[in-house]
Each structure stands twice: as C-alpha cells, then as structure tokens.
Amino acid sequence: MGRGGKEGNNAFAYDINEKDEDDYDRLMYIVDRILENEEADPEFLDILELKVPNFSNLFHDRVAIAVRSGNYKIAGHIIKKLFESSGYGYNQLHSEVLNCK
C-alpha cells in the first residue's frame, strides 16, 4: 500500500496559518446583529474592541445600520469613539444628538 499524498500528516496543517476569509464574514454578521439589537449594551463593543484587532474600524461605515434599527444608544457610542479617535466626518453635534444630551 502506498502512503498516499507526499504531505502525509502535514496535509492536515497545510492552511493553519492562512487567514480564513469566512472569519471576516462571520465577524461582520456578528457586528450587524449587535447594531440591529436595541438591547445591546455599548460596553459589549468595548469588550470586543479589546479582544479583536482593528475591531473599531469595522463600524465607521456601519453606523447607519444602528440608526435605521433605532439603536441610538449604540450609534451614539460608536460615533463618540470615532469622533474622539480621528473624526471620520462626525462632529460633537452628532454625538450629542444620538446620546440625547
């Protein structure tokens, strides 16, 4: 009997260091569900931001999802963080309106 492929057991670990393209899709699915959920706590985003590299970069073009869903608490939290970091086209007024100040 032949051994099969030349890689042997190494075939199981062939793509272990490659980035899975589905990871990004799964993460975006989770982000969208958070933005659509009115009961989501903004602190949950802070926890994810600590655990997932570049997590805050996923939100700058998705704030509209939270606003359309009526999730002003999450939208205000995101805009406040974006404004504090580099603006992303938002200003203090956006933050105040969404945070009802």
Side-chain angles (χ1 to χ4, degrees), residues 3-48:
R3 183 172 168 209
K6 292 182 180 180
E7 292 176 294
N9 286 334
N10 293 337
F12 295 116
Y14 179 73
D15 61 350
I16 200 163
N17 293 324
E18 289 185 18
K19 184 75 174 149
D20 187 4
E21 292 177 11
D22 290 336
D23 287 348
Y24 178 79
D25 293 334
R26 281 187 227 127
L27 185 59
M28 293 313 297
Y29 178 81
I30 292 169
V31 166
D32 289 346
R33 298 300 79 77
I34 293 169
L35 297 176
E36 292 170 351
N37 185 354
E38 289 185 48
E39 296 178 10
D41 190 356
E43 291 181 16
F44 184 65
L45 296 176
D46 295 336
I47 293 169
L48 286 175

Side-chain angles (χ1 to χ4, degrees), residues 49-95:
E49 189 174 6
L50 293 174
K51 298 291 183 184
V52 178
N54 299 318
F55 186 73
S56 59
N57 294 339
L58 301 175
F59 290 109
H60 71 276
D61 61 344
R62 303 184 94 71
V63 174
I65 294 171
V67 173
R68 279 194 305 259
S69 299
N71 197 350
Y72 303 118
K73 185 168 50 171
I74 291 284
H77 183 75
I78 293 168
I79 287 180
K80 180 180 177 190
K81 286 189 148 297
L82 292 174
F83 176 67
E84 289 172 352
S85 64
S86 62
Y88 285 91
Y90 299 108
N91 60 36
Q92 187 64 32
L93 181 62
H94 292 102
S95 179

